[in-house]
Amino acid sequence: MTSRAWCSSLAKMAGRLAVERRARRPRAAELPPLLFIGPAASLLLVFVYWPLIYTVYLSVLDWNLISPVREFVGSANYRLLVFEPIFWIAVKNTLIYLVVLVPVELCFPLALALLLQSVAERRIRAVYQALIFSPTVLSFAIVCIVWVWMFNPLGGALSRLFRLVGLPAIAWLNNAQLSLWAVVLVSAWKVFGYNLVIFLAALTAIPAEYVESARIDGASAWKVFRWITWPLLGPTTFFVLVTTAIFTGTQVFIPIHVLTQGGPYNSSTHLIYLIYQYGFQFFQVGAASAASVFTFLGFLVLTYLQLRYLERFVHYGR
Amino acid sequence: MRRTSGFALFWILSICVMSWLFVLPVGRSEAAKAELELWHRWSGPHQEVLREVLKGFEAKQPGIAVKEVSVPGQYVDLMQKVLARLAARQNPPDVLLPGYNFLDYTVRELRPIPIDQIGGTEAKAVYARYVPSVLRTGQIDGKQYGLPYALSTAVLYYNPRLVEAAGLNPQTPPRTWAEVQTWGEAIKGKTGKPALYISNVDTFLMQSLVESAGGVMLSNACPAFSTTEAVAALEVWRRYYQDGLIPRITYREAEQSFMTGDLAMFATSIMHLRGWTQQAQFPLRVAHLPRFGQRSLKVAAGGAALMVLARTTERQKAAWELLKYMTSEEGMRIWVKTGYLNPLQAALPRTEGQDPAYDQFPNLVGWVSWPGSRGLEVDKRVLDWRDKILLGAVGAKGGLEAAAAEVSPLIPGCPR
């Protein structure tokens, strides 16, 4: 069943349920489920939906979080952002992070997982897995501090490596053209191991008989990958795509804050970092909230596009 | 029925627990009167010395305990943490040490108690301890809101080993920026090491350079740093980057490199003297901040003032006792071991290496404090434009003019 047909039948079922529910009064037997979901629903309401609504309210105010006076300014904060060059730099950088990080975090971990899978000795495979996964378990802030040292063009590890092979040292963090890529590199390094382990698990779950029968029929390695492995990796690939997209939206704040603070002169900033700057550095809560609303709408569109166009390529069945 | 009432009880308890989390006030209870909270930005050796000062105070005032809270980073980080605490509906710290560059912002947003109000008849005696020009650094619109505590000026640290390796005499450090250029070229040419770094974490060195060149940062409380003199100062700074004398690294990277002996000269605050003397892998030397030719030097007065934010009379009285001790000869004798300068008229021992900073006392000017409630934003935007100039993205004239035009509308009473 295609995802569209599946969604359509779900909607019909929901509609039927609503009609039936209206037709009869709730009975005592139906209270327990409601009571069960009550606490979770309350938490969702308090920590997800209420902040969403409150953010929209704050976005029409001029307020610094501490003053008793909150001035209503209508769409002034939105207009301020639209005409603010830093906002568009943040939008551009956010798109760059997404467009670069997502394919990189899809292709390289998958390629390495396929390579690792071909290692026959399980213990050696486990050692490689542990080494590659280790960045995932380290504190992001602490490893970013280590990366600051590594990026140091005067005495850092990277500059020494470059000099060893006769290349000049690069000033990563204080170069407007490179600071963004330094953050992308650190982010990619952090997530790599996690995605690799996910892909490895998914590859292990593919029934060996499929591959064996294809090999018996004379299929090449590429054909096995293209017609068996890749389609069956669909759900995992979709999951990795979604989690990496979420990571680029949220977790990338840490490397930006520790490595570059969005600089030099906003060249490595990001929408989330811009919200933080407006909200907690400048204490312009209205502008920060307006930026949050813009970011929310952007990611909503992205999520819709993902569900609408990408999920159709996911094969769930065997 | 029994199961339903059990579920209902569970649900009600969950709601009650969540309500408790939101309804109960957080922060310090007003019943804890014996403890004062003092917030500052120092860590490492400075924090150790500050703790020594507070120990001395507690020995003299056993009824008052002081909890010092460090917010490591720059003064702007301290301001942000305090504001975040107030935004969370918590009480402000009783005593705060904001930087002089955020004095206006602190007075406007945090409303500290004027010193005259807390100190009463004792205030004048405390004022009399100070060098008059230094006392003024704690004033806004002629009113004393803070007692100057940490006081610094910019100096030029250098590594005598690298200087000697370049064939130069470490006993005669450069006195002008033109001489710095000469030294820098010799060091870079003969040792291959980067020659110089000028602190860029805030407006401290930028103001010192601009005003030493004959410019000003503010005029009639509006941005005035796009004059010919200011442009000339930034051009000199920019040329060091273009000529490769200043490497394109961050402040943190520069500090690491200087400590390991990979950078020859560093222009920054005298406050680092104690920590750097301990960490440097060479015998650290200190020189006067260079000037522009024959023009007289002007150095911004860096550091922090003691301000009282306590809201109850009892806490304000306790805070006043703390301020009196910290600004006394006894308290300051301990504090100046950090490398910060003595703001009092009383003669106190000098740390080795502080002489050039003390020589610059007559040249002190107040550190620019951006007026208005958007001072934090103005500061960041000015620094961004300065970085664009230094890294060659824009010219000094165009950059300073654009910066002034961008921040002017954010300051009350300035042209839109």
Side-chain angles (χ1 to χ4, degrees):
Chain A
M1 191 189 261
T2 64
S3 55
R4 191 183 284 192
W6 183 68
C7 286
S8 168
S9 62
L10 253 186
K12 278 184 195 155
M13 205 179 349
R16 246 197 336 266
L17 277 173
V19 166
E20 285 170 13
R21 201 173 289 124
R22 265 184 257 123
R24 58 168 199 249
R25 286 191 193 134
R27 285 176 287 186
E30 289 177 8
L31 274 180
L34 292 174
L35 294 175
F36 262 125
I37 66 169
S42 310
L43 285 172
L44 256 180
L45 197 71
V46 167
F47 290 108
V48 178
Y49 294 108
W50 170 242
L52 212 63
I53 297 163
Y54 198 60
T55 300
V56 175
Y57 162 67
L58 288 176
S59 70
V60 296
L61 302 177
D62 180 10
W63 188 43
N64 66 356
L65 279 180
I66 57 175
S67 164
V69 175
R70 304 180 193 193
E71 190 190 339
F72 176 77
V73 293
S75 61
N77 290 317
Y78 292 95
R79 277 183 279 120
L80 179 139
L81 286 175
V82 165
F83 291 108
E84 174 61 71
I86 301 170
F87 175 71
W88 294 107
I89 295 172
V91 170
K92 182 194 84 175
N93 286 352
T94 306
L95 288 172
I96 290 174
Y97 284 126
L98 265 169
V99 164
V100 172
L101 261 183
V102 169
V104 161
E105 292 302 336
L106 221 57
C107 301
F108 288 103
L110 177 58
L112 200 60
L114 287 166
L115 264 173
L116 266 182
Q117 204 196 19
S118 64
V119 172
E121 176 57 52
R122 209 152 36 113
R123 272 180 288 186
I124 296 175
R125 201 163 66 227
V127 166
Y128 278 125
Q129 243 178 278
L131 285 172
I132 296 169
F133 187 70
S134 53
T136 312
V137 299
L138 298 171
S139 157
F140 208 173
I142 292 171
V143 300
C144 286
I145 292 171
V146 174
W147 273 101
V148 168
W149 171 76
M150 288 177 64
F151 278 131
N152 189 328
L154 297 184
L158 280 179
S159 68
R160 286 179 205 263
L161 208 66
F162 278 36
R163 282 195 208 110
L164 262 175
V165 296
L167 292 170
I170 298 176
W172 292 87
L173 302 181
N174 214 27
N175 185 320
Q177 278 74 47
L178 292 177
S179 57
L180 181 68
W181 301 106
V183 177
V184 169
L185 175 69
V186 174
S187 303
W189 170 85
K190 186 74 168 76
V191 180
F192 188 89
Y194 178 78
N195 290 352
L196 175 100
V197 163
I198 300 286
F199 275 126
L200 257 182
L203 285 169
T204 316
I206 295 174
E209 311 86 69
Y210 292 4
V211 178
E212 277 165 21
S213 358
R215 290 252 158 84
I216 289 166
D217 289 341
S220 64
W222 165 248
K223 282 201 168 131
V224 167
F225 175 78
R226 170 69 182 89
W227 298 109
I228 297 175
T229 311
W230 178 245
L232 289 176
L233 279 180
T236 306
T237 308
F238 186 68
F239 170 78
V240 166
L241 201 73
V242 169
T243 52
T244 306
I246 291 169
F247 173 85
T248 59
T250 57
Q251 295 298 306
V252 79
F253 171 87
I254 298 171
I256 294 174
H257 189 57
V258 177
L259 294 172
T260 63
Q261 295 86 53
Y265 48 90
N266 302 305
S267 56
S268 61
T269 193
H270 182 278
L271 276 173
I272 303 298
Y273 197 75
L274 189 75
I275 293 167
Y276 162 78
Q277 277 189 318
Y278 269 110
F280 299 106
Q281 288 189 346
F282 307 154
F283 289 88
Q284 301 294 318
V285 172
S289 300
S292 302
V293 171
F294 277 135
T295 307
F296 169 71
L297 292 173
F299 278 97
L300 196 66
V301 167
L302 194 72
T303 308
Y304 170 75
L305 291 173
Q306 273 184 331
L307 289 172
R308 178 86 168 78
Y309 292 106
L310 291 181
E311 214 187 354
R312 66 172 63 175
F313 298 111
V314 176
H315 301 268
Y316 289 96
R318 288 221 160 104
Chain B
M1 201 56 204
R2 196 180 294 168
R3 207 193 290 176
T4 305
S5 59
F7 293 148
L9 186 64
F10 172 73
W11 191 31
I12 290 164
L13 278 173
S14 304
I15 299 287
C16 290
V17 165
M18 284 187 307
S19 308
W20 174 77
L21 286 173
F22 286 107
V23 167
L24 272 192
V26 293
R28 208 183 48 240
S29 161
E30 285 302 318
K33 286 180 176 35
E35 190 179 76
L36 291 176
E37 213 173 70
L38 179 145
W39 281 35
H40 60 90
R41 65 162 272 216
W42 298 298
S43 58
H46 291 85
Q47 188 177 21
E48 285 166 20
V49 173
L50 181 65
R51 282 178 177 159
E52 205 183 316
V53 172
L54 298 177
K55 229 188 248 176
F57 168 72
E58 286 173 352
K60 287 219 138 67
Q61 294 275 355
I64 306 172
V66 182
K67 181 182 160 200
E68 56 89 21
V69 175
S70 165
V71 181
Q74 303 303 320
Y75 289 116
V76 67
D77 301 305
L78 177 63
M79 294 306 303
Q80 286 159 8
K81 280 285 185 309
V82 174
L83 288 164
R85 179 162 160 147
L86 290 174
R89 304 285 182 265
Q90 295 183 10
N91 291 322
D94 300 297
V95 179
L96 181 66
L97 278 152
Y100 299 124
N101 57 334
F102 292 113
L103 222 70
D104 189 285
Y105 188 85
T106 308
V107 168
R108 189 178 297 276
E109 301 298 313
L110 302 184
R111 293 190 298 278
I113 319 299
I115 301 293
D116 286 329
Q117 190 176 320
I118 324 169
T121 50
E122 291 181 332
K124 280 205 164 55
V126 171
Y127 297 159
R129 296 173 182 171
Y130 281 91
V131 172
S133 58
V134 171
L135 186 65
R136 280 195 288 275
T137 56
Q139 290 177 0
I140 292 288
D141 298 331
K143 207 167 192 174
Q144 197 76 38
Y145 282 98
L147 288 178
Y149 187 61
L151 182 68
S152 71
T153 70
V155 292
L156 184 72
Y157 297 94
Y158 63 97
N159 179 341
R161 291 189 187 144
L162 280 179
V163 169
E164 272 171 2
L168 301 162
N169 182 1
Q171 305 301 328
T172 54
R175 294 306 302 262
T176 66
W177 290 110
E179 285 174 26
V180 168
Q181 177 86 22
T182 312
W183 265 42
E185 283 164 0
I187 290 167
K188 188 178 166 227
K190 294 201 175 134
T191 68
K193 301 273 189 189
L196 174 67
Y197 200 83
I198 300 176
S199 173
N200 58 0
V201 293
D202 48 32
T203 53
F204 190 49
L205 263 295
M206 179 181 174
Q207 180 182 355
S208 299
L209 260 62
V210 164
E211 300 214 8
S212 294
V216 288
M217 298 295 283
L218 286 173
S219 175
N220 297 325
C222 287
F225 46 76
S226 55
T227 57
T228 317
E229 294 85 357
V231 170
L234 268 288
E235 277 294 349
V236 167
W237 195 349
R238 190 165 100 103
R239 208 175 73 229
Y240 294 138
Y241 278 91
Q242 285 176 328
D243 294 347
L245 301 186
I246 297 182
R248 285 170 181 257
I249 53 179
T250 62
Y251 181 90
R252 194 183 284 164
E253 289 170 335
E255 195 175 15
Q256 284 170 351
S257 303
F258 187 62
M259 289 296 100
T260 56
D262 290 316
L263 183 75
M265 297 181 280
F266 207 130
T268 186
S269 168
I270 191 68
M271 70 168 275
H272 297 290
L273 181 65
R274 181 182 165 97
W276 283 11
T277 305
Q278 290 170 355
Q279 292 168 46
Q281 294 176 18
F282 54 88
L284 186 68
R285 295 276 182 92
V286 185
H288 302 95
L289 189 71
R291 54 178 197 273
F292 288 96
Q294 294 307 309
R295 281 188 183 276
S296 60
L297 190 65
K298 286 198 183 155
V299 283
L306 285 159
M307 285 184 156
V308 176
L309 304 179
R311 293 294 179 232
T312 65
T313 314
E314 203 164 329
R315 283 186 174 281
Q316 287 168 11
K317 279 189 184 143
W320 176 241
E321 293 304 316
L322 177 62
L323 261 60
K324 276 196 303 184
Y325 178 81
M326 287 177 79
T327 58
S328 67
E329 216 176 296
E330 182 184 332
M332 200 56 75
R333 189 179 297 273
I334 305 170
W335 178 244
V336 295
K337 289 193 284 188
T338 52
Y340 277 113
L341 307 178
N342 172 20
L344 308 179
Q345 298 198 53
L348 293 175
R350 291 186 179 188
T351 304
E352 191 187 330
Q354 279 185 320
D355 285 343
Y358 277 112
D359 293 342
Q360 291 171 169
F361 245 50
N363 310 100
L364 277 180
V365 294
W367 194 356
V368 66
S369 178
W370 306 109
S373 60
R374 297 181 74 170
L376 297 179
E377 193 179 345
V378 169
D379 198 64
K380 174 78 171 53
R381 288 177 184 269
V382 168
L383 293 177
D384 283 344
W385 276 107
R386 182 210 55 198
D387 289 343
K388 270 191 182 170
I389 293 167
L390 297 180
L391 296 179
V394 294
K397 185 170 183 332
L400 287 176
E401 284 172 355
E406 188 173 295
V407 303
S408 189
L410 305 179
I411 299 175
C414 295
R416 294 273 172 269

